[in-house]
């Protein structure tokens, strides 16, 4: 837990009070308006106190999306990510590429698009240009559901039937994903479970003295809907794979 104090004395008094209650507490000083100082403070806290993280296994989920596209007999692919995220630092992109390469396919660089969804006009123009250039049929994996929704809307404007001409999959299973036309294939994970797991791990660490600095990964579910399945998709309406939590091996 992080508590912001306006003065060093207030922070030290709070830390002393927490220590009297049996908690481990530490004080760090940073200008909250300076992101570099804040990041440095967080790194120092993790080094001093350790950390436990429950994360979504993005790369594994992206490989599953690639495998799904291949099972649906698509052989042309594209990926749409965020301009603010370098490709090498985007596990959804790298996982998708790895999933394709395992089956002998590659993702050409001219079929990888990075957009800023907040700049809707530029983003929509770039998406339309990509869709028009793609050999059909093609499958498009998007960094998240909001981008995927933009792709579905672009398909409608361009009169490209989905999934016959363009298949689309997103990530995060936002509420909008089940209300698009057609409903969107996506990757889902239960945030409530992640929070509960984090709390259980922290309690176990306190009770047993387990070593901190451990990442736990949640294997999310692939939810197949009509935006990517050319088959009788009604049977897949409630289909998802079982979530699995496992400890990362160093």
């Amino acid at each position: 837990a992080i508590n912001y104090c306006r003065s060093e004395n207030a922070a030290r008094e709070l830390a002393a009070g927490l220590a009297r209650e049996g908690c481990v507490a530490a004080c760090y000083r940073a200008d909250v308006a300076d992101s570099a100082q804040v990041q440095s403070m967080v790194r120092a806290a993790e080094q001093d106190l350790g950390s436990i993280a429950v994360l979504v296994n993005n790369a594994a989920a992206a490989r599953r999306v690639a495998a799904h596209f291949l099972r649906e007999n698509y052989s042309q692919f594209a990926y749409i990510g965020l301009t603010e995220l370098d490709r090498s630092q985007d596990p959804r992109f790298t996982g998708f590429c790895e999933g394709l390469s395992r089956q002998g396919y590659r993702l050409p660089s001219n079929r990888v698009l990075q957009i800023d969804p907040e700049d809707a006009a530029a983003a929509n123009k770039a998406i339309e240009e990509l869709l028009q250039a793609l050999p059909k049929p093609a499958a498009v994996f998007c960094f998240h559901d909001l981008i995927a929704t933009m792709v579905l809307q672009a398909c409608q404007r361009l009169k490209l039937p989905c999934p016959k001409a363009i298949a689309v999959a997103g990530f995060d299973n936002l509420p909008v994903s089940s209300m698009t036309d057609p409903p969107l294939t996506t990757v889902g994970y239960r945030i409530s479970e992640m929070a509960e797991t984090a709390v259980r791990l922290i309690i176990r660490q306190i009770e047993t003295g387990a070593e901190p600095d451990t990442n736990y990964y949640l294997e999310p579910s692939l939810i197949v809907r009509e935006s990517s399945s050319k088959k009788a998709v009604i049977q897949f309406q409630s289909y998802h794979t079982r979530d699995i939590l496992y400890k990362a091996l160093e």
Side-chain angles (χ1 to χ4, degrees), residues 66 74 78 92 197:
Y74 291 97
R92 299 178 187 182
T197 299

Side-chain angles (χ1 to χ4, degrees), residues 171-185:
F171 208 107
D172 292 333
N173 193 29
L174 298 178
V176 69
S177 65
S178 63
M179 298 182 285
T180 56
D181 182 21
L184 179 65
T185 291

Side-chain angles (χ1 to χ4, degrees), residues 205-219:
Q205 178 185 330
I206 293 171
E207 293 177 343
T208 65
E211 191 69 22
D213 297 319
T214 301
N215 287 344
Y216 288 79
Y217 288 85
L218 186 71
E219 192 79 20

Side-chain angles (χ1 to χ4, degrees), residues 14-35:
L14 177 60
L18 290 171
R20 287 193 294 270
E21 297 297 325
C23 299
V24 177
C27 297
Y28 300 91
R29 186 174 184 174
D31 180 355
V32 295
D34 186 330
S35 60

Side-chain angles (χ1 to χ4, degrees), residues 10 23 25 32 43 62 66 72 117 124 136 167 182 195 200:
C23 299
V32 295
R43 287 194 295 268
E72 293 293 326
N124 283 321
K136 313 297 189 296
R200 288 198 302 270

Side-chain angles (χ1 to χ4, degrees), residues 86-146:
D86 186 85
R87 295 180 189 180
S88 63
Q89 301 300 315
D90 180 0
R92 299 178 187 182
F93 168 71
T94 55
F96 185 58
C97 291
E98 182 180 349
L100 295 177
S101 67
R102 287 181 178 183
Q103 300 301 319
Y105 293 87
R106 59 182 294 271
L107 188 61
S109 59
N110 64 349
R111 297 185 190 175
V112 179
L113 180 64
Q114 291 173 284
I115 64 170
D116 176 5
E118 294 187 4
D119 186 353
N124 283 321
K125 183 176 184 294
I127 290 171
E128 289 184 5
E129 291 175 351
L130 174 67
L131 294 179
Q132 289 172 322
L134 283 175
K136 313 297 189 296
V140 181
F141 179 38
C142 303
F143 180 82
H144 56 47
D145 290 345
L146 297 181

